[in-house]
């Protein structure tokens, strides 16, 4: 993890971020084999997706967000494998903050991940299926469709907007 993101390791981070950070570095297996860590997430959630989510080549950004949400005791959106369906999660966030769910447009569909920061033109997103791995990437603000905040009983003090300047290359496809 780049030094500018070490703040994410604080034990006071929102629980969704704590879960997501644990999965940084999980990588899709190229070719016909699969990373069972990824395919087992659908089994852990235990809904209808576990019957057919058998290959890590199936887009899994929504599955990544769903496993983090599930592990914090929250309920994922019904069709969590569809990135754009995450626009119905929680409540609207007018000022994205650490731990919020961001939904983006991309050619061929959508993308979803967690807000960890921003600069003047981009969001920094901790997400799955970003270059076939769980990474932090930079995505243009112009592509944002929705920012959604988990419904908190008590909002963590670290769930705030974070201005970050990082030399991460901007992602175009998140695949």
């Amino acid at each position: 993890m780049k030094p500018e993101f070490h703040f994410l390791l604080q034990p006071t981070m929102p629980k969704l971020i704590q879960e997501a950070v644990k999965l940084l570095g999980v990588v899709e297996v190229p070719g016909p084999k699969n990373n069972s860590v990824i395919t087992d997430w659908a089994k852990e959630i235990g809904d209808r997706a576990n019957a057919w989510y058998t290959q890590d080549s199936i887009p899994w950004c929504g599955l990544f967000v769903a496993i983090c949400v599930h592990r914090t005791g929250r309920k994922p959106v019904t069709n969590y494998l569809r990135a754009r369906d995450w626009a119905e999660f929680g409540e609207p966030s007018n000022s994205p903050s650490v731990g919020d769910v961001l939904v983006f447009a991309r050619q061929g569909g959508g993308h979803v991940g967690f807000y960890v920061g921003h600069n003047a033109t981009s969001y920094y997103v901790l997400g799955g299926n970003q270059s076939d791995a769980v990474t932090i990437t930079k995505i243009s603000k112009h592509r944002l469709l929705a920012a959604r905040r988990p419904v908190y009983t008590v909002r963590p003090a670290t769930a705030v907007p974070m201005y970050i300047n990082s030399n991460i290359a901007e992602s175009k496809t998140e695949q």
Side-chain angles (χ1 to χ4, degrees):
M1 178 184 306
K2 290 181 148 270
E4 58 267 37
F5 296 106
H6 282 178
F7 73 94
L8 297 172
L9 300 173
Q10 296 175 49
T12 57
M13 281 289 115
K15 292 191 184 316
L16 288 172
I17 294 298
Q18 291 179 37
E19 286 302 321
V21 165
K22 290 177 190 175
L23 299 174
L24 272 169
V26 171
V27 178
E28 184 176 310
V29 176
K33 294 191 179 201
N34 297 291
N35 183 337
S36 62
V37 170
I38 297 168
T39 56
D40 285 352
W41 292 340
K43 293 175 188 157
E44 183 178 332
I45 294 169
D47 68 351
R48 58 187 170 76
N50 78 28
W52 61 269
Y53 194 88
T54 58
Q55 299 175 322
D56 65 11
S57 60
I58 298 169
W60 52 276
C61 62
L63 178 59
F64 168 76
V65 172
I67 196 63
C68 295
V69 166
H70 174 77
R71 287 178 177 174
T72 63
R74 289 181 161 81
K75 185 170 173 42
V77 296
T78 302
N79 293 314
Y80 59 81
L81 293 175
R82 296 179 61 195
R84 289 180 179 224
D85 281 15
W86 284 95
E88 300 302 317
F89 177 74
E91 58 192 19
S93 175
N94 296 326
S95 179
S97 300
V98 174
D100 286 359
V101 172
L102 301 182
V103 180
F104 297 94
R106 74 170 178 83
Q107 190 166 348
H111 183 67
V112 64
F114 296 109
Y115 170 100
V116 295
H118 71 277
N119 65 24
T121 60
S122 303
Y123 292 109
Y124 294 97
V125 179
L126 195 170
N129 207 25
Q130 298 180 159
S131 299
D132 295 333
V134 177
T135 65
I136 297 173
T137 197
K138 184 165 64 171
I139 301 175
S140 170
K141 287 183 175 180
H142 295 323
R143 294 178 46 207
L144 184 69
L145 297 174
R148 304 294 294 188
R149 179 162 294 142
V151 176
Y152 292 114
T153 304
V154 176
R155 186 172 168 188
T158 53
V160 296
M162 292 290 293
Y163 189 87
I164 297 174
N165 195 9
S166 178
N167 63 357
I168 294 174
E170 189 168 282
S171 175
K172 304 290 186 213
T173 63
E174 299 76 55
Q175 296 180 8

